[in-house]
Amino acid sequence: MEITEGRSVSTRQLCFFLAFLLPVPKLLEAPALLAYYAKDDLLLPALAHFTLQAGMLAGIVYLSSKTDKTLFQLLADKWGLWAAKTAYFLLSAYYIFFSLLPLLGIERFVYTAFFDSAPSLSAFAPFFFLAAYAATKSLKCFARICDLAAPLFLVAFFGLMLLAVGEADFTALMPLFSSSPRSLSLGALRSFPHFSDTALLLPFLGYYRYKRGDGKKILLSYGAGSCFVLFFLAVFYGIFGAVSQLQPYAFSKIAGYFGGLAVIGRIDLLLVYLTTILLLFYYCLPLTLSVHCFCKAANIRNRIPASAVICLSLLLLTVFFNRLYSGLYSFVTVFAVWVFPLFAYGAPLTCLLTLLPARERRKKRRA
Amino acid sequence: MLKNSLRRKNATRYYLILIAFLFCFFFSNDFGLIDIQKTAIVIAAAIDRDGEDFVLTSQIAVPQASKQGEQVQPVQIESRGKTVAEAFSKVNAKTGWYPKLVFCNLIVLGKTAVERDVFEGLDFFLRDEYMADNCSLAVYEGEAKEILSSKTPIEEIPALAVQKVLSEHAARVGTALPVTLRTFSASHYSSAKSGFIPILKKEQASGESSSSAGQGNGNGQSQNQSGGQSQGESKETIFSASETALFKEGVMVGKLNDEQTFALAAIKRDLRLAGFFTGEAGNNYTLLVKKNENKIRLTIDKNAQPKLFVQTTVTAGIQDNSTPSTVTELAEEGSLPPALKKAAEKKLKRTVEEVFQIAKDCGADVFGATEMLRKYQSKYFSAYHDNLLSRVQLFVKIQFRALR
């Protein structure tokens, strides 16, 4: 059996990841995007995504309850080594593709929230140094970040919501189902890049050992994370109403309308800083997974060169696409949007197929 | 081997320290170092129109050394452009200062700006990612730049004095109905396409109105004019914002006087320690409104008749009256005599009805009826939303409750 770096991820860490780290990137650009298409029904496409993703997550948990193998082993045992290697190369490429738009998004967000005018592009470079370091580490290290993320998220999220909720007029969400089915489905389709969580969990297979009762804990944690996002969406629309679609980085200013801040200053920015740190941690994950999958597929033990090459390439891509952001945005959310459901739904379902008995065994059983 | 391991550990440490150091710059906006000599910190902007051109007056805070230490002096720069952005860019061209809007907390719209869609200019501020959208909006029925070039005893910088009369405190005591760029934009882009903005008035600090624009409706504003005083004696002005401009599709279509503004505040906002003036049996009273509870509801009856119910319960007590009171009356300051209560209810009800009539005449849905139709009676929305105000029946119920 493959060495999985000491069964590194505990149930607690996985639950913390689902409840406290997965919701964070959804607070950035997704609310304005959903409001643009679904208007006051913006909760519905989000709810649909969460429900479907919860189904996929249940499938992955079921898979981990049935086998202790890693994803690579599962694929290799079922379809051969080359199939497993190809799948891992594809996953590695997918994680880079997955990161591209959010990285440009967070870069633009930081420039908007923390800078008064446009800074130089190199200001965002430290993130790639951090990601390059994180990517050389095992998944166990990332799991430890989840422990750290829990208190940071709770302080930042509830702090921001406490300051913001008083300004929100929740009746702005009325009437339910006022948007056309076309707008709702378009909102759901375009927001796929923000709600494709399960693809990130596949490489954790085999690094986490299933125990009795874990299924409930994991699904409840995902449910809690989803509730945080839905509550944020409701407060967001309650505050901005008809101009919600103009607020791509709402969480940086959502608490700024609290009356007391005029006297004591923008202390809410401390909470925004905390959330941004969580975002940086979160965006290290796809890069870590990309390096992990690449090294596995290419059978490379030393991750440092692979990490350096991948992170440097992404840094160059970020600088290159910075000037072509709207073109890349249209490409990812319109022409290449099918890639996200392919990996977020297709990949887990394919993994579930590995549980089916082989054809020969089935024949024998029938005989 | 041990040496190699230590060297590798040290390399990792240096790497992490470098990352932390670079992140410091990343998060701190390079520690916010801005060249004050090259930056114009715009604290307020006034927008007027001259034909198709925007006339923009930017009030810029300039730190200056003085005997008392460093002080901020306001400087007004006027620039023109076919768009507000062009006018702002000319500030840079004229002065060499790069205009920063991060601290812009006030936008004043002049008479010429509100005669056409104000979003021809305001949408620039909505697009600007570096500007907070909770800056206050105000209308001045003259040239908006006059407000920023006024001299006021309240503050060194007139924009700050204006912000005081548009503060949250002013909203609570009902002397103004302040709005921010965000709230006004949200109501403008809603189904009602309506909104309101407070109207600024200039008065001489001694009490005499110095504003030619403020002559339209001096209801209660200039009652304490000191007759013989000439304008030349004191040029210092103070501001008030107790009147309100009504907007439909971005154009100013009507206005409310101070009493009507208070009535709208009483039915839409939460009042605290507000003064309400009423009279009963030839005696003038000032009631102190401790709090109010509002409810506005839109229903459609069996005959498809839309009905708007406005219900407000005001908890108030006598603060003062114009005739001497007995000791017993003074001791019962928290109570409201039934006749006075009735008079106050009647007056507020009548004023709310006046507000409704004005809103109906000019088509500005300041009651939010169209939004209520969309939210709660959506099946009637397409049929009624164009002419809801002319169809709807108003039912006003005002109740005054004594403090004790």
Side-chain angles (χ1 to χ4, degrees):
Chain A
M1 183 177 261
E2 189 191 357
I3 300 160
T4 51
E5 298 162 69
R7 296 281 172 200
S8 31
V9 183
S10 71
T11 313
R12 183 195 70 247
Q13 288 166 333
L14 199 60
C15 290
F16 280 3
F17 173 65
L18 295 168
F20 305 126
L21 214 48
L22 268 189
V24 182
K26 294 173 185 64
L27 312 182
L28 200 60
E29 287 185 333
L33 181 76
L34 290 170
Y36 179 76
Y37 287 105
K39 306 267 177 325
D40 48 3
D41 281 334
L42 78 168
L43 294 180
L44 297 176
L47 194 62
H49 277 301
F50 283 130
T51 313
L52 291 172
Q53 287 283 284
M56 286 298 110
L57 182 65
I60 294 172
V61 173
Y62 177 72
L63 189 63
S64 70
S65 71
K66 293 289 168 192
T67 176
D68 279 347
K69 291 176 185 172
T70 63
L71 178 66
F72 191 84
Q73 283 174 316
L74 273 174
L75 296 174
D77 290 353
K78 185 74 182 175
W79 290 299
L81 188 65
W82 280 103
K85 284 193 171 197
T86 312
Y88 261 55
F89 273 126
L90 286 174
L91 273 176
S92 176
Y94 168 73
Y95 293 130
I96 292 175
F97 176 74
F98 174 89
S99 308
L100 206 51
L101 207 57
L103 284 178
L104 285 165
I106 189 179
E107 183 196 13
R108 289 161 70 89
F109 157 70
V110 171
Y111 291 169
T112 309
F114 303 141
F115 288 72
D116 301 335
S117 52
S120 66
L121 290 173
S122 57
F124 192 57
F127 167 75
F128 294 96
F129 299 141
L130 177 72
Y133 174 73
T136 59
K137 299 288 168 188
S138 64
L139 295 183
K140 188 176 179 177
C141 286
F142 186 79
R144 282 186 193 144
I145 287 178
C146 299
D147 282 332
L148 191 66
L152 292 184
F153 176 84
L154 288 172
V155 170
F157 183 79
F158 285 104
L160 286 174
M161 288 300 98
L162 207 66
L163 294 174
V165 77
E167 273 290 315
D169 170 20
F170 291 107
T171 65
L173 293 163
M174 298 287 286
L176 289 175
F177 303 105
S178 62
S179 301
S180 66
R182 191 177 176 275
S183 307
L184 291 176
S185 36
L186 212 56
L189 184 72
R190 297 276 187 269
S191 56
F192 257 118
H194 302 280
F195 293 90
S196 304
D197 304 325
T198 42
L200 294 175
L201 295 169
L202 288 174
F204 284 93
L205 275 173
Y207 290 84
Y208 149 73
R209 180 169 284 168
Y210 181 85
K211 292 185 287 297
R212 200 179 159 81
D214 278 2
K216 268 185 211 162
K217 287 179 195 167
I218 289 170
L219 285 174
L220 278 175
S221 304
Y222 188 72
S226 310
C227 288
F228 293 144
V229 177
L230 293 173
F231 181 63
F232 179 86
L233 289 175
V235 173
F236 162 75
Y237 202 81
I239 288 180
F240 293 106
V243 288
S244 298
Q245 51 193 290
L246 299 174
Q247 315 295 332
Y249 309 117
F251 87 81
S252 66
K253 52 178 168 176
I254 198 164
Y257 305 114
F258 181 69
L261 296 185
V263 183
I264 54 175
R266 291 290 305 271
I267 53 158
D268 63 305
L269 281 177
L270 293 174
L271 305 172
V272 176
Y273 273 119
L274 277 185
T275 319
T276 312
I277 289 168
L278 288 174
L279 269 173
L280 295 177
F281 283 157
Y282 173 84
Y283 285 123
C284 285
L285 176 66
L287 298 185
T288 307
L289 293 179
S290 179
V291 172
H292 170 84
C293 290
F294 180 80
C295 290
K296 198 90 203 152
N299 202 16
I300 298 171
R301 279 201 167 270
N302 186 1
R303 286 182 183 178
I304 295 173
S307 165
V309 169
I310 286 178
C311 291
L312 192 68
S313 317
L314 257 172
L315 171 62
L316 294 176
L317 281 174
T318 313
V319 171
F320 176 70
F321 282 116
N322 206 290
R323 293 172 203 287
L324 305 167
Y325 182 77
S326 45
L328 178 78
Y329 190 85
S330 316
F331 175 74
V332 173
T333 58
V334 180
F335 298 109
V337 77
W338 53 270
V339 175
F340 295 96
L342 185 74
F343 280 87
Y345 295 95
L349 287 173
T350 312
C351 294
L352 280 172
L353 287 181
T354 58
L355 288 181
L356 292 177
R359 196 181 291 171
E360 291 76 28
R361 267 193 282 162
R362 265 183 301 186
K363 272 183 188 171
K364 269 185 196 171
R365 212 178 286 165
R366 267 186 221 150
Chain B
M1 193 156 176
L2 186 70
K3 213 174 179 181
N4 266 351
S5 163
L6 269 175
R7 201 176 289 163
R8 198 176 296 164
K9 264 191 176 174
N10 278 339
T12 311
R13 274 180 200 149
Y14 295 144
Y15 185 78
L16 287 175
I17 289 167
L18 178 72
I19 292 173
F21 186 68
L22 289 173
F23 262 117
C24 270
F25 282 108
F26 178 56
F27 278 127
S28 65
N29 179 16
D30 296 348
F31 298 107
L33 293 175
I34 51 168
D35 191 344
I36 202 82
Q37 297 298 327
K38 291 176 186 165
T39 308
I41 298 169
V42 179
I43 51 171
I47 300 174
D48 293 297
R49 298 296 294 263
D50 182 8
E52 287 304 305
D53 286 359
F54 287 91
V55 182
L56 179 82
T57 310
S58 316
Q59 183 145 70
I60 295 165
V62 181
Q64 282 181 345
S66 72
K67 280 179 186 171
Q68 291 84 32
E70 202 169 74
Q71 281 190 333
V72 174
Q73 289 294 324
V75 172
Q76 278 77 245
I77 307 289
E78 192 179 309
S79 51
R80 283 165 181 264
K82 294 285 176 204
T83 61
V84 172
E86 188 189 352
F88 263 120
S89 67
K90 283 186 180 165
V91 173
N92 194 359
K94 279 181 178 178
T95 62
W97 285 333
Y98 181 77
K100 266 178 185 266
L101 292 172
V102 186
F103 301 103
C104 181
N105 287 324
L106 174 70
I107 300 170
V108 185
L109 301 161
K111 191 183 176 193
T112 46
V114 297
E115 282 169 353
R116 35 207 300 190
D117 190 346
V118 288
F119 278 87
E120 288 176 8
L122 285 183
D123 57 1
F124 162 75
F125 299 97
L126 288 176
R127 279 201 184 113
D128 193 295
E129 287 174 345
Y130 296 109
M131 183 181 161
D133 54 9
N134 58 345
C135 63
S136 303
L137 292 183
V139 167
Y140 181 61
E141 291 180 297
E143 283 195 315
K145 65 180 177 186
E146 282 178 32
I147 292 288
L148 300 188
S149 55
S150 311
K151 200 177 170 200
T152 170
I154 309 292
E155 285 277 356
E156 194 69 41
I157 303 172
L160 299 182
V162 172
Q163 281 171 48
K164 280 198 162 90
V165 298
L166 299 173
S167 66
E168 208 167 285
H169 174 76
R172 286 197 167 195
V173 296
T175 54
L177 267 174
V179 290
T180 62
L181 180 59
R182 173 179 63 89
T183 51
F184 182 67
S185 306
S187 64
H188 170 77
Y189 288 111
S190 72
S191 53
K193 294 174 189 159
S194 307
F196 53 83
I197 300 180
I199 300 175
L200 284 176
K201 295 273 178 202
K202 272 168 58 174
E203 286 172 44
Q204 278 196 359
S206 57
E208 188 173 353
S209 174
S210 67
S211 163
S212 58
Q215 288 168 358
N217 190 336
N219 201 347
Q221 294 293 314
S222 51
Q223 286 176 357
N224 55 347
Q225 287 179 4
S226 50
Q229 200 176 25
S230 72
Q231 281 196 6
E233 275 178 46
S234 166
K235 287 184 180 175
E236 288 201 322
T237 50
I238 53 171
F239 304 104
S240 67
S242 49
E243 294 186 5
T244 305
L246 306 184
F247 285 79
K248 175 74 180 170
E249 292 178 348
V251 181
M252 182 175 159
V253 286
K255 75 178 188 181
L256 305 178
N257 65 24
D258 53 351
E259 281 186 356
Q260 290 158 350
T261 298
F262 182 88
L264 189 59
I267 60 165
K268 278 190 83 95
R269 302 228 168 136
D270 292 332
L271 298 179
R272 294 285 179 276
L273 303 179
F276 179 66
F277 314 104
T278 187
E280 196 268 317
N283 196 354
N284 291 318
Y285 286 90
T286 301
L287 303 186
L288 182 70
V289 176
K290 284 277 180 180
K291 64 171 186 173
N292 62 330
E293 288 156 33
N294 308 316
K295 202 174 181 183
I296 304 183
R297 198 161 49 93
L298 181 87
T299 60
I300 310 276
D301 71 7
K302 279 185 279 180
N303 303 319
Q305 170 64 48
K307 291 178 175 174
L308 186 67
F309 294 90
V310 176
Q311 194 179 340
T312 299
T313 307
V314 181
T315 307
I318 299 172
Q319 192 179 23
D320 195 11
N321 63 348
S322 56
T323 53
S325 309
T326 62
V327 177
T328 322
E329 283 169 344
L330 286 174
E332 291 174 352
E333 59 168 353
S335 63
L336 277 181
L340 178 61
K341 200 172 122 185
K342 214 169 183 181
E345 284 169 356
K346 200 174 162 188
K347 186 184 174 190
L348 190 57
K349 185 181 174 186
R350 196 185 62 234
T351 319
V352 171
E353 284 166 349
E354 279 171 21
V355 174
F356 181 74
Q357 193 55 46
I358 293 169
K360 192 173 165 179
D361 292 345
C362 61
D365 180 11
V366 287
F367 286 77
T370 316
E371 270 294 284
M372 279 186 271
L373 181 74
R374 188 185 68 81
K375 287 174 186 171
Y376 308 115
Q377 308 286 347
S378 49
K379 62 179 176 179
Y380 293 97
F381 183 73
S382 55
Y384 286 174
H385 80 279
D386 277 337
N387 54 1
L388 180 67
L389 282 183
S390 56
R391 279 174 178 243
V392 76
Q393 273 181 3
L394 179 73
F395 297 89
V396 184
K397 190 179 174 191
I398 306 286
Q399 242 185 324
F400 270 73
R401 214 162 43 190
L403 287 172
R404 283 190 278 180

